[in-house]
Amino acid sequence: MDRRDFLKTTAAVGATALTGKKLFAKEPLKPEEFVGVLVDTTRCIGCRECEMACGEAHDLLVPDVQNDNALEQVRTTSDEQWMVINRFETDKGDVFVKKQCMHCMQPACAAACPTEAMKKTKEGPVIWRGDKCMGCRFCMVSCPFDIPKFEYDEWNPKIEKCTLCFDRLQDGERPACVEACPTDALIFGTRTKLIEDARKRIYNNPDDYVHHIYGEHEAGGTGYLYLSAVPFEQIGFRTDLGTTPYPEYTKEFLYSVPLVLFGLPALLFGFSHLTDKETDDSE
Amino acid sequence: MNNEVTVRDESKRFIKFIIQEMKPRGKWLTPFNIISIPIILLGLVILYFRFVYGLGSVTNLSQEFPWGFWIGFDVVTGVAFAGGAYVITFVVYIMRVDKYHSIVRVTVLNGLLAYMFYAGALVLDLGRPWHIINPIIGNSFGLSSVLFLVAWHFLIYMTAEFVEFSPVIAEWLNWKKTEKFVKSLTLGAVILGISLSTLHQSGLGALFLMAKPKIHPLWYSEFIPILFFVSSIYAGLSMIIFEGTISHRVFKDLIDPKSHHSFDDIMLGLGKGAAITMFVYYFFKALIFIHGQHWTLITDGWGLWYLTEVIGFVLIPGFMYAFGVRNRSLSIIRIAAILSLIGIMLNRLNTSIIAYNWNAVVHYIPSWQEFVVTLMVIFAEIWVFRWIVTRMPVFKSSH
Ligand code: SF4
Ligand code: SF4
């Protein structure tokens, strides 16, 4: 390695460390400054280094990527793995796609949770807190991406899902998977910057990408963003989720609750009074 | 001194009375006991495994199907079946239709027990039930959560139902003053109970609003809450008819002879109410179907299943009710009630389990253990019900 390259690398590492710290500075971040990850599927080579790093960072299963043949079938996350890499055969060759919690801008899981165990942090990651969760699994029913997983074989089960390495972020580090990626297929940063970056890539290489950033608007926008060379439905994404944030679907009902709770009793009371008079008269 | 003696005497008499009442009465080897006791015992064993080795050891729940029979049937269907209490209290205390006075007590008791046991079954399904305290004592209020709301409503509603029922308990204990006092609370409790019921019956439907991408489009609609509410009215009425028919036979001797002759009238009235609400419900269903342009969806097996539910178990029993009322035929009304109850069960199970993740490769089918525990809950409820009605003046009119 020559000296200039060395300097460049050091500078880059330093800069990321710095930005990592800066992203978690004391002042609360504004919502548009939620952090996230941009996944450029055209760069992913399917080495699954991220899968191993995730398992190590969170005391979960560390897959034996040389021998487990896991790419032979399309997998989903589990109570042992917060993220998985899947392979899809497309007309543009094999495409590898990372799957994990999308860290929605307005997460269905957190809106569903009766104990606030699922929580959208002000920095952006959606985290789960075991001291609050009562294990009702309503988060699982509500998540449009089917991400939270439950330990069915434990007397004291946990909900398992990606936290965007919230602990590491607080120490100024990047998520373990991003750190592990050898090809920069994963980029960590504020969502605004990531979207800018993604747009730039599409603009500069219009033939290499479909002109869509998955996650920019899906389910009201997500912290994870994806670029792809082939239409997203070909690589395992649901494209029918709509752009409405999922909590919106229950808003109307929740708004009507205080209305009913105060209005209806008054109405019923008045009504019973009326009928009372009538019986009095007739008797 | 003197006072103290009477208090001690009183409490002694009270304890003796309670012990006396606790003792079982009647024959032991009835068919019901022979079936229910082993099932309850087996259920307890299953629950032991469930709490020691996890939900996966006795249920077929999975990552794709986080909610199964215990939620879909016990809680979601059970609560709809228990809707009779708020409908009847509305008719009797708000509309003041006197005809139904004689069934208020037993209906309220049924409602109260149904909530205690069926809504209570929710706790069996919680992975970390000890944390249920969090949303109750308020160290974590998930205010944006429909489930939070529904659970709280269950709790308050049970209290309201208890207040409504408490005059019966006071009468049984011969506590005249208390009886007078709790009676004065009835109207307030009734009004609170109706308001809460409106909300949590629809709230049970609202639970599934965010599961939009998972529920088959024939069963998903933004109007699920309204559909659940309207159908809970006829579900409750049908349940009163169904239970009333059985109670009327089993507990013949306990029923006020005065109320006997009006029994037919009551059933006919309930049938009429059920018919009307079923037509309203069917109308809503049809509107949603047409508005959602679901024509293309009814050509496959799911479509057929949907039509079975909506025509076979809503429209047809609706007409049967209407026909039965017109011809004063109790037997037709009874069949209509059973069909309607099956329809409600189908609808709730479709929404929560069957048409949920309908395109999953491996679909959830409840394990036998899940059925046994559900039966255990039902039998336990009947035991308590039987104990109460054979001791307290439940079948007496509340006048
Ligand atoms: S993807 Fe699912 S689990 Fe992750 S934040 Fe969104 S709703 Fe929650
Ligand atoms: S399972 Fe836990 S995290 Fe999920 S909704 Fe229930 S309480 Fe919240």
Side-chain angles (χ1 to χ4, degrees):
Chain A
M1 191 194 300
D2 73 26
R3 218 174 124 226
R4 267 184 62 203
D5 261 346
F6 174 76
L7 276 179
K8 240 164 81 189
T9 327
T10 342
V13 170
T16 30
L18 269 180
T19 43
K21 278 237 168 67
K22 220 167 74 226
L23 292 172
F24 271 70
K26 271 126 255 134
E27 311 107 71
L29 291 158
K30 280 181 249 124
E32 63 268 25
E33 285 184 324
F34 282 155
V35 294
V37 172
L38 174 65
V39 185
D40 190 335
T41 57
T42 64
R43 292 198 185 177
C44 180
I45 53 170
C47 67
R48 297 169 65 210
E49 289 289 333
C50 50
E51 256 185 55
M52 294 197 288
C54 178
E56 270 158 26
H58 305 291
D59 254 333
L60 299 162
L61 177 91
V62 181
D64 175 9
V65 296
Q66 302 303 332
N67 306 310
D68 66 0
N69 281 332
L71 290 176
E72 292 309 310
Q73 34 185 302
V74 175
R75 296 171 296 157
T76 178
T77 59
S78 71
D79 54 344
E80 294 185 304
Q81 278 194 292
W82 287 355
M83 61 138 298
V84 291
I85 293 286
N86 280 316
R87 181 178 61 198
F88 294 92
E89 281 159 30
T90 72
D91 14 301
K92 299 218 170 157
D94 282 355
V95 176
F96 299 97
V97 184
K98 185 173 184 287
K99 178 169 187 172
Q100 73 299 304
C101 169
M102 298 292 284
H103 297 281
C104 305
M105 304 286 278
Q106 294 187 48
C109 59
C113 182
T115 66
E116 291 192 308
M118 278 295 181
K119 191 174 176 256
K120 178 83 178 163
T121 59
K122 61 183 195 305
E123 293 87 354
V126 177
I127 58 167
W128 174 81
R129 301 179 294 177
D131 56 333
K132 302 203 178 269
C133 172
M134 62 183 197
C136 65
R137 308 189 293 290
F138 191 27
C139 48
M140 302 170 72
V141 171
S142 302
C143 169
F145 300 98
D146 261 324
I147 291 301
K149 297 288 142 76
F150 183 78
E151 296 180 320
Y152 283 103
D153 295 318
E154 297 287 338
W155 71 271
N156 186 13
K158 296 197 287 286
I159 293 284
E160 300 283 2
K161 79 161 202 59
C162 163
T163 59
L164 206 66
C165 287
F166 189 59
D167 307 341
R168 289 170 59 94
L169 297 190
Q170 277 174 319
D171 296 338
E173 289 175 85
R174 296 188 298 168
C177 53
V178 176
E179 201 73 62
C181 181
T183 63
D184 275 345
L186 306 175
I187 296 171
F188 173 73
T190 60
R191 192 169 177 271
T192 339
K193 269 221 55 225
L194 294 177
I195 290 180
E196 247 170 56
D197 189 7
R199 288 225 181 91
K200 230 178 270 161
R201 288 189 197 190
I202 296 177
Y203 184 79
N204 292 338
N205 314 287
D207 299 333
D208 295 349
Y209 296 105
V210 291
H211 296 192
H212 182 80
I213 306 168
Y214 192 95
E216 186 177 3
H217 301 297
E218 273 76 9
T222 58
Y224 254 84
L225 300 159
Y226 288 81
L227 285 175
S228 167
V230 294
F232 281 98
E233 54 271 20
Q234 290 182 23
I235 51 172
F237 285 90
R238 276 193 84 152
T239 48
D240 59 347
L241 297 177
T243 54
T244 312
Y246 272 65
E248 289 289 324
Y249 291 116
T250 50
K251 255 205 188 122
E252 217 165 304
F253 174 75
L254 289 168
Y255 281 161
S256 70
V257 168
L259 229 67
V260 174
L261 221 45
F262 290 106
L264 193 57
L267 212 74
L268 292 173
F269 199 74
F271 210 59
S272 81
H273 220 68
L274 251 153
T275 49
D276 205 15
K277 283 252 176 62
E278 274 171 22
T279 40
D280 274 351
D281 287 350
S282 61
E283 265 161 17
Chain B
M1 256 342 237
N2 223 345
N3 245 341
E4 226 170 79
V5 173
T6 32
V7 168
R8 205 179 301 147
D9 269 8
E10 266 303 305
S11 46
K12 241 194 222 151
R13 202 173 319 147
F14 176 70
I15 292 168
K16 227 166 125 195
F17 173 73
I18 295 290
I19 292 174
Q20 193 56 40
E21 293 283 277
M22 287 306 271
K23 282 191 195 137
R25 288 187 193 164
K27 274 198 306 218
W28 261 101
L29 288 176
T30 59
F32 174 71
N33 289 0
I34 291 170
I35 297 171
S36 66
I37 291 173
I39 294 221
I40 291 178
L41 294 178
L42 184 59
L44 291 174
V45 175
I46 293 170
L47 285 185
Y48 168 80
F49 280 96
R50 178 252 166 277
F51 282 108
V52 175
Y53 299 103
L55 276 163
S57 64
V58 295
T59 69
N60 281 346
L61 296 173
S62 65
Q63 307 297 359
E64 289 77 45
F65 292 89
W67 283 357
F69 201 62
W70 290 353
I71 297 287
F73 183 77
D74 299 20
V75 180
V76 179
T77 312
V79 167
F81 283 172
Y86 82 91
V87 179
I88 284 300
T89 52
F90 174 77
V91 173
V92 170
Y93 292 106
I94 308 292
M95 310 280 288
R96 294 180 203 269
V97 183
D98 259 353
K99 182 160 103 183
Y100 303 102
H101 238 302
S102 61
I103 60 164
V104 167
R105 285 181 163 186
V106 64
T107 311
V108 169
L109 174 65
N110 261 320
L112 175 63
L113 292 180
Y115 273 82
M116 280 166 61
F117 283 87
Y118 304 139
L122 186 67
V123 178
L124 302 180
D125 198 71
L126 293 182
R128 306 154 75 92
W130 44 92
H131 281 165
I132 198 174
I133 201 76
N134 284 339
I136 294 175
I137 60 171
N139 70 17
S140 306
F141 268 5
L143 287 174
S144 63
S145 167
V146 180
L147 185 60
F148 173 82
L149 195 102
V150 169
W152 257 98
H153 279 192
F154 282 171
L155 281 180
I156 310 175
Y157 183 67
M158 279 190 248
T159 319
E161 293 276 87
F162 184 76
V163 171
E164 284 171 34
F165 188 68
S166 55
V168 183
I169 303 177
E171 196 181 322
W172 168 62
L173 295 169
N174 214 355
W175 290 355
K176 290 267 156 51
K177 265 196 209 132
T178 323
E179 189 185 338
K180 226 175 135 198
F181 170 69
V182 287
K183 258 193 179 151
S184 72
L185 299 178
T186 302
L187 185 62
V190 163
I191 287 178
L192 181 66
I194 296 168
S195 310
L196 290 169
S197 293
T198 319
L199 285 172
H200 68 235
Q201 292 288 359
S202 48
L204 281 174
L207 286 178
F208 297 97
L209 287 176
M210 285 198 283
K212 189 174 187 218
K214 299 173 196 171
I215 296 173
H216 190 285
L218 282 172
W219 283 274
Y220 184 88
S221 140
E222 55 183 310
F223 301 110
I224 295 185
I226 295 173
L227 293 175
F228 268 45
F229 170 66
V230 175
S231 54
S232 79
I233 298 176
Y234 75 76
L237 292 173
S238 303
M239 198 65 192
I240 302 176
I241 296 174
F242 179 71
E243 269 171 352
T245 307
I246 297 175
S247 297
H248 207 67
R249 296 214 177 118
V250 180
F251 302 111
K252 228 185 345 268
D253 329 332
L254 297 168
I255 295 171
D256 229 357
K258 263 199 302 189
S259 68
H260 262 290
H261 65 276
S262 62
F263 180 76
D264 292 8
D265 263 354
I266 290 177
M267 292 293 135
L268 290 174
L270 297 175
K272 195 167 159 193
I276 294 169
T277 34
M278 287 181 92
F279 288 129
V280 172
Y281 177 77
Y282 184 79
F283 178 69
F284 280 154
K285 273 281 203 194
L287 269 189
I288 290 167
F289 184 86
I290 294 165
H291 191 75
Q293 291 171 325
H294 288 159
W295 297 108
T296 50
L297 292 170
I298 48 167
T299 47
D300 60 1
W302 287 106
L304 201 64
W305 183 233
Y306 172 84
L307 292 179
T308 312
E309 177 197 316
V310 176
I311 295 186
F313 293 95
V314 179
L315 195 59
I316 291 180
F319 275 119
M320 285 174 74
Y321 267 133
F323 184 81
V325 171
R326 219 157 144 217
N327 297 293
R328 299 188 64 86
S329 160
L330 281 194
S331 45
I332 291 183
I333 286 183
R334 270 176 212 138
I335 298 169
I338 291 169
L339 290 181
S340 311
L341 290 174
I342 296 174
I344 290 289
M345 194 175 80
L346 284 182
N347 175 259
R348 300 305 195 260
L349 291 181
N350 276 332
T351 311
S352 60
I353 300 175
I354 300 172
Y356 178 93
N357 267 345
W358 53 287
N359 45 11
V361 187
V362 188
H363 205 283
Y364 159 86
I365 294 167
S367 67
W368 64 266
Q369 292 99 321
E370 290 175 78
F371 284 119
V372 172
V373 170
T374 298
L375 276 178
M376 174 189 100
V377 171
I378 296 173
F379 285 146
E381 197 237 311
I382 297 177
W383 270 78
V384 176
F385 178 80
R386 191 174 60 171
W387 186 86
I388 292 177
V389 297
T390 48
R391 282 157 184 82
M392 299 184 196
V394 173
F395 288 112
K396 264 177 57 187
S397 176
S398 57
H399 271 308

